[in-house]
Amino acid sequence: MPHGLGLGTAGIAGLYTEVTDEQAYEAVSAAWQRGIRYYDTAPHYGLGVSERRLGAVLREHPREQYTLSTKVGRRLEPSSDGGDDLAHGFAVPATHRRVWDFTADGIRRTLDASLERLGVNRVDIVYLHDPDDHAEQAFREACPALEKLRSEGVVGAIGAGMNQAEMLTRFVRETDVDVVLCAGRYTLLDQSALTELLPAAVARGVSVVIGGAFNSGLLADPKPGATYDYAAVPPELLDRALRMQAVAERHGISLRAAALAFCAAHPAVTSVLVGARSAAEVHDCADQFATPVPAAFWQELRESGLLPAHAPVPAEDPS
């Protein structure tokens, strides 16, 4: 399973704004330089652009030295409609269209296409990608298909990646997943995964990867106009983030460092993914992840009501 800091690669595929091949190459190369060895991608990210760009860098390194995950559930089909993909969040040409497909055949075809774009013959982890509205097919068809791929050695581990905790808890309890990717639901601003998902993962021995540590931007740089869960931030959450930032500044750290440290502190969590679109952002995330957060910071957060007392923090026994 992946450990430590990982790189999420939606950003290098032009999430919201255009990113060049060169910028993407430099970002992934910087991640490797900083010792990051877990890379997560998906066909959805830039209609395959993320996988191609990531593969171009990783093929320069020995396959056994890194952990690679991609996702299935959105199959890409060629499209001649033209235009761009900004309706889905990516500043790339709309060369393909996404088709929801959690059938056994769709899973295998989608993974085969990903392997080709990445230039590898296997991935370490494959996640079901956002099966929110396709639960029945995901549990009935996709999970058995992933188990078969795992038994064949095409993938090392299987799981699901979602922006919610409830269905991920069901995957942990009812299926034979090895790992789940939970985005945005275990952060300084949202601990909903703490109620059931994380305890269930500990009980079942399932690894948890946390994505969205900054809640899509708010915790990275809280200010009016910031985004929270890919939308405009509600005023009360902006106020909460600004108060947290003031506490962080009093203790000589950044809110980014605290956000990453918090995600990594729970015993179920094996890795925290950060998204970056440039080498500078990668270096900043690596610096923040390596920054020790003083115990007095966590104490002040709790005393001011900004963090629940039962949420584990670094260097503290979570039991």
Side-chain angles (χ1 to χ4, degrees), residues 128-260:
L128 299 179
H129 199 183
D130 297 336
D132 306 67
D133 299 325
H134 308 271
E136 185 181 346
Q137 192 173 57
F139 284 96
R140 189 183 70 244
E141 298 182 49
C143 281
L146 289 186
E147 290 176 16
K148 191 168 190 296
L149 287 165
R150 183 177 58 188
S151 70
E152 294 170 359
V154 180
V155 303
I158 61 173
M162 305 182 72
N163 291 283
Q164 58 150 294
E166 293 77 15
M167 196 184 295
L168 286 181
T169 305
R170 189 179 163 197
F171 277 108
V172 168
R173 289 176 172 161
E174 299 179 17
T175 74
D176 192 30
V177 294
D178 305 290
V179 55
V180 293
L181 197 174
C182 180
R185 305 285 75 82
Y186 193 63
T187 72
L188 282 176
L189 290 171
D190 182 338
Q191 295 93 45
S192 50
L194 190 59
T195 309
E196 294 191 22
L197 175 60
L198 294 174
V202 170
R204 293 293 297 267
V206 173
S207 299
V208 178
V209 173
I210 296 295
F214 302 139
N215 283 119
S216 80
L218 178 58
L219 284 168
D221 185 15
K223 60 185 179 184
T227 52
Y228 176 82
D229 277 2
Y230 312 106
V233 59
E236 65 275 11
L237 277 175
L238 174 60
D239 177 66
R240 193 174 182 86
L242 287 168
R243 289 169 62 200
M244 287 181 170
Q245 183 179 48
V247 177
E249 288 173 353
R250 277 198 292 277
H251 292 276
I253 59 166
S254 71
L255 185 58
R256 299 189 305 287
L260 293 173

Side-chain angles (χ1 to χ4, degrees), residues 1 107 136 217 222 281 283 303:
M1 287 298 107
I107 295 295
E136 185 181 346
E281 289 183 4
H283 285 300
E303 289 174 351

Side-chain angles (χ1 to χ4, degrees), residues 282-313:
V282 169
H283 285 300
D284 179 71
C285 286
D287 289 343
Q288 302 307 322
F289 191 72
T291 300
V293 179
F297 166 80
W298 304 113
Q299 183 178 346
E300 184 172 346
L301 272 198
R302 286 173 166 168
E303 289 174 351
S304 57
L306 291 170
L307 187 68
H310 64 287
V313 296

Side-chain angles (χ1 to χ4, degrees), residues 2-166:
H3 286 276
L5 192 64
L7 182 69
T9 59
I12 65 166
L15 183 64
Y16 303 131
T17 56
E18 189 176 350
V19 172
T20 66
D21 285 346
E22 183 180 13
Q23 288 169 324
Y25 184 91
E26 289 173 351
V28 180
S29 297
W32 187 274
Q33 178 190 336
R34 295 303 299 266
I36 293 172
R37 294 295 181 268
Y38 174 39
Y39 301 89
D40 175 69
T41 185
H44 169 57
Y45 301 157
L47 295 167
V49 168
S50 171
E51 291 179 319
R52 284 195 296 273
R53 287 176 167 175
L54 179 60
V57 181
L58 293 182
R59 68 175 53 108
E60 299 176 358
H61 304 286
R63 181 62 188 87
E64 68 277 5
Q65 289 188 9
Y66 60 86
T67 299
L68 175 62
S69 62
T70 192
K71 306 184 185 77
V72 290
R74 287 176 173 94
R75 187 163 44 78
L76 300 184
E77 290 190 349
S79 170
S80 56
D81 293 346
D84 59 43
D85 190 49
L86 280 171
H88 294 95
F90 292 91
V92 297
T95 55
H96 291 73
R97 65 186 185 95
R98 299 165 179 83
V99 179
W100 288 105
D101 191 346
F102 289 93
T103 63
D105 178 65
I107 295 295
R108 191 170 283 269
R109 287 168 57 197
T110 302
L111 181 59
D112 284 346
S114 289
L115 294 174
E116 186 174 336
R117 284 188 292 268
L118 285 161
V120 297
N121 58 12
R122 64 179 175 87
V123 290
D124 300 288
I125 305 168
V126 63
Y127 298 107
L128 299 179
H129 199 183
D130 297 336
D132 306 67
D133 299 325
H134 308 271
E136 185 181 346
Q137 192 173 57
F139 284 96
R140 189 183 70 244
E141 298 182 49
C143 281
L146 289 186
E147 290 176 16
K148 191 168 190 296
L149 287 165
R150 183 177 58 188
S151 70
E152 294 170 359
V154 180
V155 303
I158 61 173
M162 305 182 72
N163 291 283
Q164 58 150 294
E166 293 77 15

